[in-house]
Amino acid sequence: IFSKESSSLEDVGESSSETDEDEKPVRHQEGSTDLSPEYWAVQKLAKYIKGGDPTATVIALCSMRDLDLSEETCQLAIKDTGCLEVLINLLDTEEIKCQTGSLKILKEISENVLIRHAIADLGGLEIMVKILDTPDTDLKCLAAETIANVARFKRARKTIRQHGGIKRLVELLDSISVGSSYQAKDTETARCGALALWSCSKSTKNKKAILKAGGIPLLARWLKCSHTDILIPIVGTLQECASEPSYRLAIRTEGMIENLVKNLSNEHEELQMHCASAIFKCAEDEEIRDLVRKHEGLQPLSVLLDNSENKQLLAAVTGAIWKCAISRENVLKFQEYKTVETLVTLLTDQPEEVLINVIGALGECCQEEENRGTIRRCGGIAPIVKLLTATNNALLVNVNKAVGGCAMEPENMSIIDSLDGVRLLWSLLKNPNPDVQASAAWALCPCVENAKNSGEMVRSFVGGLELIVNLLKSKDKEVLTSVCAAIANIAKDLENLAVMTDHGVVPLLSKLANTNNNKLRRHLAEAIAHCCMWGSNRVAFGEAKAVAPLARYLKAKDPLVHRATAQALYQLSEDPNNCVIMHENGVVKLLLAMVGSTDDALQEAAAGCIANIRRLALATEKAKYG
Amino acid sequence: AAMSRKGVKLLVDSLTRSAKHFNKSEVECLINLFDTVVARASSQFAGVGFDRTVFRDTLHSAFGMTDDVVLDRVFSTFDRDNNGCITVVEWVEGLAVLLRGTLEEKMKYCFAVYDLNGDGYISREEMFQMLKNSLLIQPADEEPDEGVKDLVEIALKKMASIYLDYDHDGKLSFEDFEKAVRDEKLLLEAFGPCLPDIK
């Protein structure tokens, strides 16, 4: 539900990270090649199905259900005797009793992965889709339930879609009969349809097909009912589809958040889990985060944290809390419910899937100063720092963010430092995954800023400065941005700046100057500004052709970029050659506009830079005319 | 003999009550159908009721039922006083079960159809009788009846109670039948189609 790790190209188009049985399943032969007793029993019955009229067929089919169809030997016997083909052929007749009897068997044995693949290979899916058109409700439901089972692998889901299955399944949700006596039947039909749609919705193209077939208003309608039996597959489908922005929009506009929140308090844990999962996925959108709060969903989520036995539920709930906490107003609400305290207790003895979300949530909660203190008081810092040695990348990214969040408080920082946290963060810069590198670099910023004896600490990491400077060679934008931010902080210590200069930080930063990415521009300019403070770096930046591109940054629309650029230009303008370049690039005019800014730092830097340029111009005039 | 209007009305009312599943206008239609067929028939019971042949033809044209063995049995279940003639009362009340019977009524009806000698049990021999034409393809090296006998055993095994001892010598009681059908509704017409196909 949570991992963004994609394991292979085959997963493109799939949203679920459950292992999908797309490769042809392998059969485990056990020892003897003797045919099982089930084999003979099935073969005999198959004879009557094949050679009998409908009456004989029905007797044989009913008798077959007395075999233990959940046993693998029996399931395989049906396949090996060729009986499976016979069962599928029966589906293609117009005999409702035979079709029904056959589907009852197929539904059970399709729990077996080999059987599922075989059914698809034998063209069973197309026929089952056709059966969805039948007026016989029991038959329709059986067909849908069987489809739900078989659709557990990708090729089956594709086949179903290609033969118009999605449209028909959506129609099952639309059964409305007059009179209350039919309600139970309608609910059952819709439940079976929803089960099948849930299975099918694991494929992205099917998610889109469901939407196109008008599935969303129907899902919304059933979401309002109170039968758990149907709610589970409905919410299951919604949470599966919630990875699509179009669904999130619909979930918002059709008022579904209210129902999802309401069902968080339902007594069925499975339903609670799917609701939490849906919220987890939807809360990517800010509007949905607000809606969850408005419908008072944050409290039930917090309460569900107390159920720590059910790990799947816990993973979904912590996930939902994590994403909801991205919005500050939600963090404030969570404070009321003491959510942070509870989350800290979940930092130990939990499976990875839960940890990733718990840490993610704590990281977001660090937006609020109070929570940084709460985490410390609850003894949360040590377990968080310990997780810096984890191997799961998704987990590491979140841990880095949490450490960074905590590090914003000096009191927390000393604990982190005493636990060797900064060194651990620094080594994560060596991790091959760019997301891990970037998040580590971001976290280093507050660490370097708030640590006691920061400069010395940084110097104590052998090869650390060389390592981080070399990351400026990365191809990943986020890595570059975060490393620039870190370097800007590190460079405040002149000794370290000297070392970085030796490692070639100036040319490396200059090479990055030609970018249109505002976030990178801002942090790059900050880094340049700070790196100017050593030796002849100002001149070096000029020679490395960093000045002209910086001038262009002033044309961006982002005020943070303006401030950083102005500061960089101010520092660079201490060198006369740079002033000439700036003048040639029309910097004066652009900076003049910023002199009146309400941003003090920008104002000062702009004014200072202009003053330097003017002074040089004056001096040049004087020299010319003596 | 034609009935007076009052007589007809009384009949309609009484049948609507006893047959339970039809309303007055439906009962009237059925009575009219009965009268029409009876008037056309040229049998010994002309004007009074259906004999076997007339009954079989009517059911065949109305519901497409073709199995003679079954149709014969159906006649017998309709003909409650066993006089070989189906009166209008027997007709309407019989149809009520056929077309709209509850599960209980249908189970009783089907069991009665299959219980060829009416002794309250469906025996092996009776099952054999009903299933003997159900196997269309027989393997060449087998005796023709072996397959049917085997099928009968399969049916017995599925439906006869295993808790009672076998001194019933392989017979299906109504309780057995009822239990089997409640468990698996497909077995209601286990030994042959005797209910009309609602297509």
Side-chain angles (χ1 to χ4, degrees), chain A residues 346-364:
Chain A
L346 294 171
L347 282 173
T348 41
D349 287 331
Q350 294 297 338
E352 231 165 44
E353 32 184 55
V354 173
L355 271 182
I356 294 177
N357 298 343
V358 169
I359 296 264
L362 286 172
E364 292 297 336

Side-chain angles (χ1 to χ4, degrees), chain B residues 138-190:
Chain B
Q138 294 267 43
D141 57 348
E142 245 183 43
E143 266 186 50
D145 289 346
E146 276 310 302
V148 182
K149 285 204 189 124
D150 198 23
L151 188 61
V152 167
E153 290 310 310
I154 292 173
L156 255 177
K157 186 163 166 233
K158 173 77 193 169
M159 298 168 74
S161 56
I162 43 174
Y163 305 111
L164 297 180
D165 41 21
Y166 280 99
D167 64 345
H168 290 287
D169 191 27
K171 291 190 210 209
L172 218 54
S173 68
F174 179 69
E175 285 73 35
D176 291 332
F177 184 75
E178 184 186 26
K179 183 166 170 302
V181 173
R182 284 202 194 279
D183 199 42
E184 175 53 80
K185 206 158 150 246
L186 289 175
L187 289 172
L188 181 60
E189 294 175 81

Side-chain angles (χ1 to χ4, degrees), chain A residues 48 51-53 55 65-66 104, chain B residues 134 136-137 147 150 158 184 190:
Chain A
Y48 294 115
D53 70 354
T55 302
R65 292 195 61 220
D66 282 342
K104 283 187 179 178
Chain B
S134 279
L136 312 170
I137 308 169
D150 198 23
K158 173 77 193 169
E184 175 53 80

Side-chain angles (χ1 to χ4, degrees), chain A residues 7-224:
Chain A
S7 44
S8 75
L9 282 173
E10 273 177 330
D11 285 329
V12 171
E14 303 294 301
S15 66
S16 185
S17 62
E18 289 168 34
T19 43
D20 206 31
E21 40 186 75
D22 288 324
E23 318 90 43
K24 205 64 191 228
V26 172
R27 190 161 159 170
H28 1 267
Q29 295 284 39
E30 271 161 19
S32 81
T33 46
D34 282 344
L35 298 168
S36 59
E38 287 85 353
Y39 183 94
W40 298 114
V42 169
Q43 194 180 54
K44 186 167 79 160
L45 291 172
K47 197 174 60 171
Y48 294 115
I49 298 176
K50 250 166 78 175
D53 70 354
T55 302
T57 300
V58 168
I59 292 177
L61 285 171
C62 292
S63 177
M64 200 177 283
R65 292 195 61 220
D66 282 342
L67 299 172
D68 190 355
L69 296 176
S70 64
E71 263 292 319
E72 189 173 45
T73 35
C74 188
Q75 295 160 345
L76 293 181
I78 294 181
K79 177 170 172 293
D80 295 337
T81 51
C83 185
L84 188 59
E85 269 184 81
V86 175
L87 290 174
I88 293 180
N89 287 340
L90 275 182
L91 294 182
D92 217 0
T93 64
E94 299 274 304
E95 297 282 341
I96 292 188
K97 290 209 213 57
C98 295
Q99 290 170 309
T100 306
S102 169
L103 273 175
K104 283 187 179 178
I105 296 173
L106 289 172
K107 174 178 141 185
E108 272 198 71
I109 61 176
S110 56
E111 296 277 350
N112 179 308
V113 58
L114 287 163
I115 301 284
R116 292 201 276 280
H117 281 255
I119 292 178
D121 290 338
L122 289 166
L125 282 169
E126 294 89 313
I127 306 177
M128 286 188 232
V129 167
K130 261 208 298 231
I131 291 182
L132 291 174
D133 288 333
T134 180
D136 185 307
T137 325
D138 291 332
L139 187 54
K140 225 197 297 235
C141 288
L142 275 171
E145 285 177 297
T146 312
I147 289 176
N149 281 349
V150 181
R152 288 190 221 169
F153 68 104
K154 205 164 29 164
R155 186 166 50 93
R157 297 194 282 268
K158 185 170 172 189
T159 307
I160 293 167
R161 179 181 70 253
Q162 288 174 328
H163 286 86
I166 302 292
K167 186 164 87 74
R168 285 175 173 83
L169 289 171
V170 168
E171 276 164 23
L172 291 185
L173 296 178
D174 203 4
S175 34
I176 1 143
S177 326
V178 184
S180 59
S181 57
Y182 288 115
Q183 244 174 25
K185 251 191 178 181
D186 279 353
T187 311
E188 181 57 17
T189 309
R191 183 190 72 89
C192 296
L195 272 175
L197 283 174
W198 185 8
S199 246
C200 290
S201 64
K202 294 208 171 41
S203 293
T204 306
K205 287 199 180 151
N206 284 354
K207 296 193 230 286
K208 298 194 160 87
I210 295 174
L211 187 120
K212 200 161 152 214
I216 294 194
L218 294 168
L219 289 169
R221 186 206 300 172
W222 284 107
L223 189 57
K224 298 190 187 346

Side-chain angles (χ1 to χ4, degrees), chain A residues 266-540:
Chain A
N266 184 292
E267 48 187 21
H268 275 86
E269 287 183 4
E270 196 188 338
L271 182 54
Q272 292 172 335
M273 175 184 75
H274 291 305
C275 288
S277 254
I279 294 177
F280 179 4
K281 290 192 181 166
C282 292
E284 290 289 335
D285 295 351
E286 188 184 348
E287 294 91 338
I288 293 195
R289 295 198 287 270
D290 290 337
L291 279 170
V292 173
R293 180 180 70 255
K294 292 205 178 97
H295 287 292
E296 309 193 357
L298 299 175
Q299 188 172 26
L301 280 174
S302 195
V303 167
L304 282 172
L305 284 178
D306 293 331
N307 180 346
S308 56
E309 285 303 306
N310 183 332
K311 298 303 178 189
Q312 276 193 309
L313 173 58
L314 195 55
V317 171
T318 49
I321 292 179
W322 169 19
K323 294 295 173 167
C324 284
I326 293 176
S327 289
R328 196 141 172 249
E329 300 94 323
N330 290 354
V331 175
L332 291 170
K333 267 280 169 199
F334 279 132
Q335 275 168 231
E336 283 175 41
Y337 310 129
K338 306 245 172 280
T339 310
V340 175
E341 286 87 329
T342 317
L343 286 171
V344 171
T345 64
L346 294 171
L347 282 173
T348 41
D349 287 331
Q350 294 297 338
E352 231 165 44
E353 32 184 55
V354 173
L355 271 182
I356 294 177
N357 298 343
V358 169
I359 296 264
L362 286 172
E364 292 297 336
C365 287
C366 284
Q367 285 177 61
E368 277 299 303
E369 198 180 318
E370 192 181 320
N371 293 332
R372 300 175 212 153
T374 310
I375 294 176
R376 180 185 68 253
R377 279 189 296 276
C378 294
I381 309 249
I384 294 178
V385 170
K386 186 147 172 262
L387 286 169
L388 284 170
T389 51
T391 47
N392 178 310
N393 286 341
L395 179 55
L396 280 174
V397 168
N398 285 358
V399 174
N400 290 345
K401 188 151 183 212
V403 172
C406 290
M408 296 199 264
E409 290 301 305
E411 251 187 278
N412 293 356
M413 195 51 224
S414 47
I415 304 180
I416 294 173
D417 200 8
S418 69
L419 293 167
D420 227 9
V422 189
R423 189 183 56 80
L424 288 169
L425 265 180
W426 212 289
S427 355
L428 286 175
L429 293 175
K430 286 190 264 199
N431 187 299
N433 182 299
D435 292 332
V436 175
Q437 291 171 343
S439 53
W442 283 119
L444 282 173
C445 296
C447 285
V448 168
E449 202 179 313
N450 293 318
K452 268 205 274 282
N453 303 320
S454 164
E456 225 177 275
M457 173 188 76
V458 171
R459 275 191 291 284
S460 71
F461 304 138
V462 179
L465 289 168
E466 186 178 354
L467 171 61
I468 199 165
V469 168
N470 279 327
L471 277 177
L472 288 173
K473 297 180 193 160
S474 165
K475 300 264 179 287
D476 182 289
K477 277 259 156 52
E478 191 68 16
V479 172
L480 291 174
T481 310
S482 59
V483 167
C484 285
I487 286 178
N489 270 294
I490 297 169
K492 292 179 190 165
D493 177 288
L494 288 178
E495 218 181 306
N496 291 336
L497 175 51
V499 176
M500 288 200 289
T501 309
D502 285 341
H503 288 302
V505 73
V506 172
L508 285 170
L509 284 175
S510 307
K511 258 210 274 248
L512 299 175
N514 271 316
T515 172
N516 285 326
N517 182 310
N518 277 339
K519 201 169 162 209
L520 176 55
R521 281 172 163 186
R522 172 190 158 199
H523 292 285
L524 177 59
E526 274 173 19
I528 291 177
H530 286 97
C531 286
C532 280
M533 307 298 199
W534 175 254
S536 53
N537 284 356
R538 288 185 177 85
V539 178

